[in-house]
Amino acid sequence: MELPLWMQSGRILMTGEQDRYFLSRAIELARGGMGKNFPNPLVGAVVVNDGRIVGEGFYSGPGSRHAEVVALSRSGEKARGGAIYLNLEPCCHHGMT
């Protein structure tokens, strides 16, 4: 089976197909918090740079770090200049996390 063009080595192509792939991955990751997240929503995050996943994370429940924080910390410097895909808008406040 041939890989999609945007996954082939040396070819970076931002397309709707690629966006759907990374967003689907964020949704898949969000399921990792299922049963632990109440009363908050399920959230998954994927950090992408040069068309490649460099960090992932999900919200695992009250008192834990937000999905985007987990994904960014796992990607480190590889996140610089990249993009983040979330199945929910990033949280714009701080508190118990």
Side-chain angles (χ1 to χ4, degrees), residues 1 14 18 33 61 93:
M1 180 176 106
M14 297 301 283
Q18 186 178 24
H93 69 278

Side-chain angles (χ1 to χ4, degrees), residues 50-94:
D50 289 329
R52 291 169 180 80
I53 295 174
V54 295
E56 298 180 327
F58 66 90
Y59 174 67
S60 59
S64 66
R65 298 183 304 162
H66 289 198
E68 58 273 31
V69 174
V70 173
L72 286 167
S73 68
R74 288 182 177 167
S75 61
E77 281 299 309
K78 294 176 185 174
R80 189 172 303 279
I84 189 164
Y85 289 79
L86 297 156
N87 67 305
L88 187 71
E89 291 183 17
C91 184
C92 63
H93 69 278
H94 67 280

